[in-house]
Amino acid sequence: MTAAAPFSRAAAEKRLGPAAVKAIKESVDAAPALRPEQLMQLHAVFESVRHPVVSVPAPRAA
């Protein structure tokens, strides 16, 4: 598995171009605020990534 390059906001904005970045910012500004339960769900998702559950296969019988 190849490691992904670290995210660079500056590089992403350069790739998208100023018009796209402006349109994205305007869309975000126009969007309604998240409800408290939505914020809690997002927090839980990102917290689960910090502490992933790893399944370990059972040892094979000899």
Side-chain angles (χ1 to χ4, degrees):
M1 186 164 135
T2 338
F7 177 75
S8 166
R9 182 176 182 153
E13 288 180 359
K14 185 177 178 181
R15 266 193 314 274
L16 292 170
V21 170
K22 181 180 180 207
I24 291 166
K25 287 180 180 178
E26 289 171 353
S27 294
V28 170
D29 290 342
L34 294 174
R35 296 186 314 267
E37 61 270 14
Q38 291 172 313
L39 288 172
M40 289 173 41
Q41 289 171 340
L42 283 171
H43 177 75
V45 167
F46 285 100
E47 190 63 29
S48 70
V49 173
R50 290 188 189 115
H51 309 287
V53 176
V54 179
S55 62
V56 179
R60 293 184 180 193

